[in-house]
Structures are given as structure tokens and as C-alpha cells.
Amino acid sequence: MLENWFAEQGWHIRDYQRAMVDAYNRREDTLLIAPTGGGKTLAGFLPSLIALFDKPAKSRAQLKTLYISPLRALTNDIERNLARPIQDLNLPITIGVRTGDTKTAQRARQRKTPPDVLLTTPESLMLLLSYDNAEDYFADLDVVIIDELHSFATGKRGDFTSLALARLKTLAPDHVRFGLSATISKPDEAARWLGPTGSAAKILEVRSSSRPEINVLKTDARLPLGGHSPVYAIKQIYDEILSAKSVIIFVNTRAQSELLFQQLWRKNDQNLPILIYHGSLSREKRQKTESFIATGAMRAVVSTSALEMGIDWGDVDKVIQVGAPKGVSRLLQRIGRSNHRLDEPSQAILVPCNPLEAVECDVAIKAIAQGQRDGEDYHSGALDVVVQYIVNRSCAGRFKKRELYNEICSANPYRNLSRTDFNSLVQFAQNGGYSLKTYERYQRLQATSRGYRIANREQALRHRMNIGTIVEDAKIKVRRLAGPKSKRGRIVGEIEEQFIMNLVPGDTFAFAGEVLRYEGINNRVLEARPAPKLRAKVPAYLGGMMPLSSYLAEGVRHVLANPGQWKNLPAQVQAWLGWQNEFSELPEPHGVLVEGFFDRGDHVTVFHTFEGRKVNNALGFLVTRRMEKANLKPLNFSITDYALTITTLEPVDNVDALLTTDIVADDLQDWIVESPMVKRSFRKIATISGLTEQRQHGSQRPMKQIIFSTDLIYDVLMKYEPDHILLRIAREEAEKDLLDIPRLAHWLHDVEGRVRFRTLPHASPLSIPSMMQLGKERVRGKGEEELLRLASYESLGEELLAQVEKTLSA
């Protein structure tokens, strides 16, 4: 019957979809790697649909198939797609969606009467596993499908999911796991993550017969020398929308999405249905946008990564990527949203926002043509996630330490978890450890002769409200008031508290696709009215910058060093690189180019590392520390993905002494202890491990409260229990996640003895983008004491380029 239904749709079951049915029949955990639009999600569900086909109409409600997605929007899309064959064939199969958007009454019904197929997210799954009926609820589980596995398996959310999978294996030992992805860069490691420890999943890889068609936007407008604004290309982007049926425009941050949306609407003289989509919008606005896209009622949507995975927007025939992609696999994932069919090439236009982004786009296009992929490395599981899991397990019922230890170690990221660390984590979960055990607040577990259990109902409620590993800065809901004097309105989303602190009544800001005027805060809800004719600030969302992959960084260096590789770059970018070569020199693939010059009363040193923001941030802190010791009086530093720029009061002559490999050993530990980095890392770890909460009584806690409480706990532990396991985790994670010390150490080793220092009369073309970077870290030291002012770099790019042109013409 299913095969006949496929034929009626003009489709046919592909060989690899049949292979997934065979894998199900053999009970083999399988990782399916297949091109976007090829039907891999259906391949994951096909065995379940066949197995449920003969289900008796009045049989007991049993959860048979569990689908785990990283995105709420993806679960909604899958529900729409599955409902069609089920309804057409009148199959006795029920489907449910369980995410953060699911209403309370529906959640209660699902707990009482599980559907045959449940579509959920990792966080909602863990919540279900925390209830005392979890053993019965999941007992008949037959298939677990993990979609878009590449997008979260290498991070803490992947560690979190692996522990949920380990629990499911305990509750339903015979179920089979299917992992789905289009852009896995390390299949063997992904297969090990998917299977239980020591039993990697089988790999089924499908090659595409068509290559995506990707081009860089052609324009006569002058490319900005720095920044991330596409304003120079708004006319051409709008023309691309006019020439297509339906377009998704991807940007890298939520702030960029609001800004670009406003710019497009000012250009939208034909009043096209152009929408906006990102994670801070309200559930109603997101679902409305999803409906418009699914029904073909929109011409374009400006989106962050929230729409880049899995969703089948069949009528989208073009994707526009604004800004550099930052990763080959990420770009491939995004452009796969267009022509979402296996045998038709995806169509994509890339819009770089500065010359170096143009080079990055060129490298990414070549990599995709060669079939290359990149991605994050897999790692040992995070220990703060284990603490949360221990408490989660206790909420569902008693556990014995030995059984729980074996269960955790069956998750591949935790295969090497030591018994010593596990015991320390259980102790911390129980009472907070030596320094905190006298406080009732931290008494979360109760030890009994039969094992450990949750201490009380209040602790279980507190835990369930804060399940997950996504630690966000505190947000406040935004209410859009209906009219000039109305006090009524609707919630349109959430906005960061940090941004609101800088607003005064009457200020305007862009949010949810329109300009709003700030009225004030009422019961922790921001109230604002429409102000369509005014220009607006754009909310600054923290943590939105995507890291530059090491693969792309290496590719950019290679292109810059080889003029023969410039032929596909825009003419103005080729000219810009030519000026750099004539005025200074080009960076080499190995080693580092450092340029020094005098600008507006300051000495400026630019390190062209091409190693990404994390490495440059760490290097900035460590090098300025050495500069301070050398009495160079550093003032501040700024970073981009490509360079570190430091301003000092004294000239820098001996760069080699600043970049020795021992800088990590000599300066890192002292600086780590003094810096706010570990406290920032501790804040996240304390939240994930349950030491503090993001949410209380159903509402978000103010960020000031969270910072105050975690900083206080940090100081207490540092004073009375410096070997506390959370402090150790915080130091390790600050080095790895906030600063990427391993990558920095590798880079320092690579450039040792290969530092090329050029003293210049003023900024070079390659230094101008770094000079235009707005965000600066101020250095607390002698330089600040002597000089409190910071240089203004408004319109700096054009001024500096004019200096270069004048020097070259002379």
C-alpha cells in the first residue's frame, strides 16, 4: 500500500530507503548520510510506518517511534509531512509533538496516552525521562531517530542527548537507533557517538548526482572594507528576490536578521511578502512564518540558523547567504534548503560584507565543489552535564551508583569517565560538596539503603524547570502595544536584558520585523509601540558570532598567499590584495604576518592570524599581559576572525618575544585565575549542573541575580574548596571553549621562528578591516592610567584606504 501511495505522488522508494528497512529488520543501529532533499527523513521513518501499518485499531497506546530534532520548527515540519500519508491511507497511527512550544494540556494528554510516534527535542525528551512513569512510557520503544545529528553531537547538547539515549537503552534494550545527516565530516566518529560504547552504528552513505550551483553576488557597488553590513548590496539582493519564486536569506546572527529585514522593507516598493524568522520571536510569530513558507505564501524570509536544518520548503528555489559562511558544512546545509529534491541542484548566492569575507566565500565554494566537509571535533563528555543527568535520574526514581555509572559509561562520550570523577559528581549532586553541604538549598539527593532518590518535590520541580544545556543571557518578554494610547497588546518575543539596560523611554529599536518605540518595563515585560517611520537601534544578541572553521582559515591563508588563486575573486578584492602586496606583503600559508604603524597618537600592532575569534581573544589577553610586563603600556585590543589588533602607548619592536610557545605555560594560568573568563565559564557550568537556575516559578531570573549568586559561590569555593570539581571543570572549559587554548598552542608552535614583522607608515589594506572593528577589550594597566581616551574609528576605512592610495601613488 505504501509503495502504491508513493507511485501516486510520482515518487518511488529509493534503494537506500529500502536499505534502512533492511537495517531495521536486522536491528542494526545505522547512520544515514544522504544529500539534502533526498528523502533521508522518510528513510528513517519508513521502517516504523511499515511496522505500524498492521497495528490493531484498538490496541493499547504505546510509544513505538521516537524522533529527536535539534529544532522545534523541524518537528512541526515533520509532523506535517508524516500526517499526509497517514491521512491519505487512513492508517491507525497517531503522531504527537512535544517541544517547549507544546501547550500544558497537550503535554498532560501525551503523558497519559502516548502517541505511536513522538516528535521531540533533546530537552523535552530528558524531561519525559525525569517522570516516575518513564519506565512504562518508554518500555515498548522500537525505533529512535536522531535527525541533523551533525548539528549538536559534538557539543554539550550532544553529550546531554547521548545520556538520554543511554537511559532509553536501559528502559527498552531492543530498540534500534537511526542517525540522519547530510553534512557529517567525520562519519566514523559520528557512528561511534550514535551507537552504545563499543558498538558503533553502521554507516550508510549516499552520494548526490548533482552539485549545488553557487555564485558570489555580482555588483558594481563598492564592497565595504570592514564590518558585517550588506547595505551596499540591498538593491541586488532585492532583485534576486524578484527573479525567484521563493527565497530564504540566511544571516549569521539575530541582530543581522533584524537589520537586513528593515533594509529590505525600505527597498520593498512592490510590497512583496518578506518575513523574518529567528529564535527570539514568539511561538505564534514563528509558527505563522512557518505556515506562510510551507504554503508558498512568502517571497522571502530573512532567517538565522533556525531554518537551516531539515525543513522541507519545497517551493524555495534560491538561497542567499549574507556574510561569510564560517564553515563548509554549514554553508552546504543552508543552501540545501533550495530545490529540496535529490536530483536537482541547489541554487545559492553568497553576499560577502568585506574583502576577506569574499575570499572566505571563494574558498567555501571550491571546497563544496571538491566534496569537502568540515566540522567540530568529538570530545569527552562534559562533566557538568553528568550532574544534571544524575539529578534527572533521581527524579524518576531511586538509583544505585554502580548501575548508574555503568549506564553513563555506555554513552560513548563518557566511555572513559573515571570512577573518582563520578563519585565526586554524585557527591556534588547530593549536597553541593564540602563548602555548600550545610545549605538546605543544595541538598538535592537523599541517600537511602536502597540507593539515591530526589530529596523532595521542590527540588524535582526546580530541576525540571531548568533542564538543558543551552545557557542564555536573561531575556525579557516584549509586548507590542496595539495603539498610541492602548495598554493592551500581544507578546511578540524576547529580548536580552543587557540591551534593554541601555534604553530610555522614547528610544526605538528593531524587533520582530518592525520598528518599536520603548515605553517602559511593566511586571518584567518590556512594553513598546509601533514606530514605523523612525530609524532604530538593532538589539545586540550575545553569543551569536559563529566560529571560523580551521579548514576555512587554512584555505583563506592559502588563497591570499597565491595570486594565481585570485581569478574567481571580485575585481575590487583582487585590486585590494594587490595594494596589500605592493604596500606591505601577503600572508604566507605558514607563519604569521605582523604589521606595526602609528595611528592617531597610538602605536598599533596587527597580528594576521586567520585563526578565528576564540584564538584571537585568548592571544589578545596573553600578549597584552606580556606587553604590560615589558612596559609597552597596552590600551586595548580588538578581534576579528582574521586578526588581532592591539594599541599601545609605546612602540612594539620585538614581536618574536611576544609569540613564544611558552606564553601558554608562563602566562595562561596566572591570567586565567585573575581573568573574568573562568567566572564566566563557571556561571554556565553552575547553571547546567543545577547550582543556580535560569528559571524560577515559571519565569526567567534577572541576569543580575544569576551573576551575583554564581560569583558569590565561585568566591566561596575558591577560598574554602579550591579543588572543588566544578572549579576544575570551569578552568578546563574556559581554556577549551571560550579561548580554544589547544588551537592557540598548535598555532604558536606553527608560527615559531616564522614571524614576519613589517613596520609601516600607516595601516595596510589588510589591516583596515581590523581597525574598523567596533568591539574592543580595554586593558587595565599603565596605558589606561596615562590615557583614558579611546580613538574614534568612524569612517576610518575610507580614510585609511586613501592613505594607502596616496602612499602608493607617491
Side-chain angles (χ1 to χ4, degrees):
M1 187 181 291
L2 272 174
E3 198 141 13
N4 292 337
W5 182 84
F6 269 72
E8 290 171 4
Q9 315 307 311
W11 305 336
H12 66 277
I13 297 179
R14 299 178 184 275
D15 290 342
Y16 73 85
Q17 292 170 332
R18 295 182 190 277
M20 291 296 283
V21 176
D22 293 338
Y24 168 83
N25 292 331
R26 293 191 301 268
R27 313 307 291 170
E28 285 182 348
D29 296 337
T30 304
L31 172 62
L32 172 61
I33 306 171
T36 297
K40 63 179 175 296
T41 305
L42 176 61
F45 277 104
L46 192 57
S48 296
L49 294 176
I50 294 172
L52 290 169
F53 185 80
D54 296 323
K55 169 195 160 188
K58 295 185 179 181
S59 62
R60 181 175 71 90
Q62 298 171 316
L63 176 61
K64 288 293 188 179
T65 300
L66 182 68
Y67 169 85
I68 305 171
S69 158
L71 292 177
R72 289 174 290 190
L74 187 49
T75 61
N76 296 331
D77 181 63
I78 296 301
E79 182 187 29
R80 283 191 297 266
N81 290 342
L82 281 180
R84 187 177 165 195
I86 290 172
Q87 291 171 0
D88 288 353
L89 297 172
N90 196 27
L91 299 177
I93 299 173
T94 56
I95 305 174
V97 174
R98 176 66 183 262
T99 70
D101 288 340
T102 306
K103 295 180 179 179
T104 304
Q106 188 175 350
R107 294 183 186 193
R109 287 194 298 271
Q110 288 173 350
R111 280 192 63 200
K112 183 178 180 181
T113 307
D116 298 310
V117 179
L118 182 64
L119 316 174
T120 191
T121 59
E123 294 74 25
S124 292
L125 169 59
M126 193 67 84
L127 181 61
L128 287 170
L129 287 168
S130 76
Y131 292 116
D132 56 9
N133 71 333
E135 190 168 345
D136 290 334
Y137 194 86
F138 293 101
D140 297 303
L141 191 63
D142 187 40
V143 179
V144 176
I145 303 165
I146 304 100
D147 206 353
E148 305 294 354
L149 183 147
H150 67 278
S151 69
F152 63 96
T154 58
K156 282 193 179 184
R157 205 175 180 206
D159 300 337
F160 178 84
T161 306
S162 74
L163 291 172
L165 293 175
R167 184 62 185 153
L168 291 175
K169 202 66 175 175
T170 300
L171 299 179
D174 295 329
H175 79 263
V176 64
R177 297 176 187 171
F178 291 154
L180 311 177
S181 177
T183 55
I184 288 286
S185 60
K186 300 177 176 70
D188 291 338
E189 292 186 47
R192 283 192 289 271
W193 180 93
L194 179 60
T197 294
S199 182
K202 304 294 183 182
I203 299 173
L204 176 58
E205 189 164 4
V206 182
R207 296 291 182 180
S208 175
S209 59
S210 61
R211 295 286 187 188
E213 297 175 3
I214 316 170
N215 295 289
V216 174
L217 184 74
K218 290 182 170 57
T219 176
D220 295 328
R222 185 160 185 170
L223 191 65
L225 295 172
H228 305 282
S229 172
V231 65
Y232 79 99
I234 292 300
K235 180 183 182 301
Q236 285 78 13
I237 294 174
Y238 188 71
D239 289 343
E240 292 290 342
I241 295 172
L242 288 174
S243 67
K245 292 179 183 177
S246 186
V247 179
I248 297 180
I249 305 170
F250 282 111
V251 295
N252 293 337
T253 68
R254 286 172 283 178
Q256 283 178 316
S257 69
E258 293 283 357
L259 181 62
L260 178 57
F261 181 81
Q262 293 295 322
Q263 292 167 338
L264 283 173
W265 262 105
R266 285 195 286 271
K267 182 65 181 172
N268 190 12
D269 49 21
Q270 296 195 29
N271 203 31
L272 300 177
I274 300 175
L275 310 174
I276 185 170
Y277 192 98
H278 59 71
S280 288
L281 300 179
S282 67
R283 174 180 61 192
E284 291 74 20
K285 287 192 73 70
R286 291 196 312 270
Q287 290 179 344
K288 185 176 180 180
T289 299
E290 292 168 20
S291 176
F292 272 117
I293 302 172
T295 58
M298 68 93 186
R299 285 294 292 276
V301 58
V302 181
S303 176
T304 59
S305 58
L307 286 182
E308 76 180 18
M309 286 184 285
I311 301 164
D312 184 9
W313 310 127
D315 290 332
V316 172
D317 55 350
K318 186 180 296 182
V319 162
I320 299 175
Q321 165 67 40
V322 172
K326 301 304 172 190
V328 177
S329 295
R330 182 181 297 117
L331 177 60
L332 191 62
Q333 185 74 32
R334 290 183 169 188
I335 64 180
R337 300 307 100 207
S338 76
N339 290 334
H340 203 249
R341 291 167 289 275
L342 180 64
D343 301 321
E344 294 186 26
S346 298
Q347 305 284 333
I349 301 290
L350 308 188
V351 184
C353 295
N354 60 57
L356 285 172
E357 286 196 345
V359 178
E360 192 179 324
C361 288
D362 179 64
V363 173
I365 290 172
K366 291 175 181 174
I368 289 175
Q370 296 166 4
Q372 299 293 330
R373 304 287 184 271
D374 59 8
E376 297 291 325
D377 292 329
Y378 289 77
H379 59 85
S380 296
L383 299 184
D384 51 336
V385 179
V386 175
V387 178
Q388 186 179 133
Y389 181 69
I390 291 170
V391 178
N392 198 80
R393 179 66 187 81
S394 73
C395 289
R398 285 185 178 86
F399 69 82
K400 294 183 177 180
K401 283 179 67 174
R402 179 180 298 177
E403 293 174 357
L404 183 60
Y405 175 72
N406 291 335
E407 183 175 277
I408 291 172
C409 290
S410 72
N412 193 67
Y414 295 99
R415 62 193 181 279
N416 296 320
L417 177 66
S418 72
R419 179 80 68 172
T420 301
D421 278 350
F422 174 73
N423 289 336
S424 297
L425 295 171
V426 172
Q427 184 67 49
F428 168 68
Q430 182 180 358
N431 57 26
Y434 172 78
S435 300
L436 302 174
K437 64 182 180 182
T438 57
Y439 297 92
E440 185 179 353
R441 158 70 183 81
Y442 304 113
Q443 303 294 320
R444 290 186 284 177
L445 304 185
Q446 186 179 78
T448 71
S449 60
R450 291 188 293 164
Y452 291 82
R453 67 182 182 187
I454 196 71
N456 51 57
R457 183 177 178 276
E458 182 183 349
Q459 291 287 6
L461 182 62
R462 182 184 290 131
H463 167 77
R464 288 180 179 128
M465 283 194 299
N466 291 277
I467 282 176
T469 61
I470 302 173
V471 180
E472 295 184 339
D473 288 271
K475 295 179 182 179
I476 288 180
K477 292 187 183 299
V478 178
R479 177 181 290 123
R480 182 190 185 275
L481 300 176
K485 296 183 179 180
S486 174
K487 289 296 182 182
R488 292 189 169 188
R490 57 189 173 86
I491 300 298
V492 293
E494 296 176 318
I495 203 167
E496 254 92 348
E497 225 176 46
Q498 184 110 6
F499 176 75
I500 298 165
M501 290 168 60
N502 299 318
L503 296 178
V504 296
D507 281 354
T508 57
F509 61 97
F511 187 72
E514 62 180 335
V515 177
L516 301 174
R517 185 178 66 247
Y518 174 61
E519 297 289 326
I521 304 291
N522 184 3
N523 291 327
R524 283 199 53 78
V525 175
L526 183 150
E527 295 185 333
R529 301 184 192 278
K533 295 183 179 180
L534 300 178
R535 292 296 177 106
K537 297 179 180 179
V538 176
Y541 297 97
L542 301 176
M545 299 303 294
M546 292 180 171
L548 177 68
S549 75
S550 56
Y551 179 90
L552 277 186
E554 183 178 343
V556 169
R557 278 196 296 263
H558 181 76
V559 169
L560 293 181
N562 295 278
Q565 300 286 325
W566 299 355
K567 60 183 178 180
N568 293 325
L569 298 175
Q572 55 183 302
V573 176
Q574 294 186 43
W576 176 75
L577 291 174
W579 292 338
Q580 170 66 24
N581 194 28
E582 188 175 351
F583 180 72
S584 175
E585 65 178 272
L586 296 168
E588 293 292 333
H590 302 284
V592 62
L593 171 64
V594 181
E595 297 177 324
F597 46 88
F598 192 70
D599 182 81
R600 302 175 185 235
D602 298 331
H603 294 277
V604 181
T605 308
V606 182
F607 301 78
H608 298 287
T609 67
F610 298 94
E611 284 297 324
R613 290 174 177 272
K614 289 182 181 180
V615 167
N616 288 338
N617 195 40
L619 189 64
F621 281 115
L622 294 176
V623 169
T624 53
R625 186 180 177 88
R626 280 203 169 177
M627 287 179 165
E628 188 67 31
K629 292 178 180 178
N631 205 32
L632 296 175
K633 301 171 185 174
L635 295 170
N636 57 65
F637 70 86
S638 63
I639 60 172
T640 66
D641 274 316
Y642 314 109
L644 162 69
T645 303
I646 303 176
T647 58
T648 59
L649 288 182
E650 301 296 333
V652 177
D653 297 317
N654 187 2
V655 176
D656 290 87
L658 300 174
L659 295 179
T660 57
T661 54
D662 60 5
I663 192 172
V664 173
D666 292 350
D667 295 85
L668 177 65
Q669 292 307 319
D670 290 342
W671 168 69
I672 279 281
V673 172
E674 298 173 6
S675 79
M677 285 288 180
V678 177
K679 272 193 174 181
R680 193 181 308 172
S681 178
F682 181 82
R683 197 174 303 144
K684 292 185 176 182
I685 289 165
T687 304
I688 292 171
S689 64
L691 202 57
T692 190
E693 302 92 25
Q694 295 187 90
R695 287 169 290 278
Q696 285 182 339
H697 311 298
S699 62
Q700 192 86 9
R701 289 180 68 197
M703 179 52 65
K704 285 184 179 179
Q705 287 185 17
I706 297 174
I707 293 174
F708 178 79
S709 62
T710 55
D711 285 1
L712 182 62
I713 295 169
Y714 178 85
D715 292 338
V716 168
L717 293 180
M718 284 292 292
K719 184 175 181 179
Y720 297 106
E721 199 175 356
D723 59 345
H724 194 283
I725 191 166
L726 281 203
L727 293 179
R728 192 192 92 197
I729 298 170
R731 285 191 291 268
E732 291 173 353
E733 291 204 2
E735 294 181 16
K736 179 173 67 73
D737 295 332
L738 295 177
L739 302 169
D740 205 348
I741 296 301
R743 184 169 169 180
L744 171 61
H746 181 270
W747 178 81
L748 286 167
H749 183 269
D750 184 61
V751 304
E752 189 172 28
R754 298 175 175 176
V755 177
R756 300 185 314 285
F757 181 50
R758 296 294 301 267
T759 302
L760 304 172
H762 50 74
S764 71
L766 193 59
S767 294
I768 292 174
S770 304
M771 293 285 287
M772 294 173 66
Q773 183 68 18
L774 295 178
K776 294 184 174 63
E777 289 282 353
R778 181 177 288 192
V779 178
R780 304 292 181 183
K782 299 173 186 176
E784 185 184 44
E785 294 169 6
E786 295 191 24
L787 189 61
L788 295 178
R789 64 158 184 83
L790 290 174
S792 172
Y793 289 108
E794 293 180 5
S795 304
L796 182 61
E798 296 299 327
E799 181 181 334
L800 291 176
L801 190 61
Q803 289 181 350
V804 173
E805 292 173 335
K806 183 178 179 180
T807 301
L808 291 177
S809 63

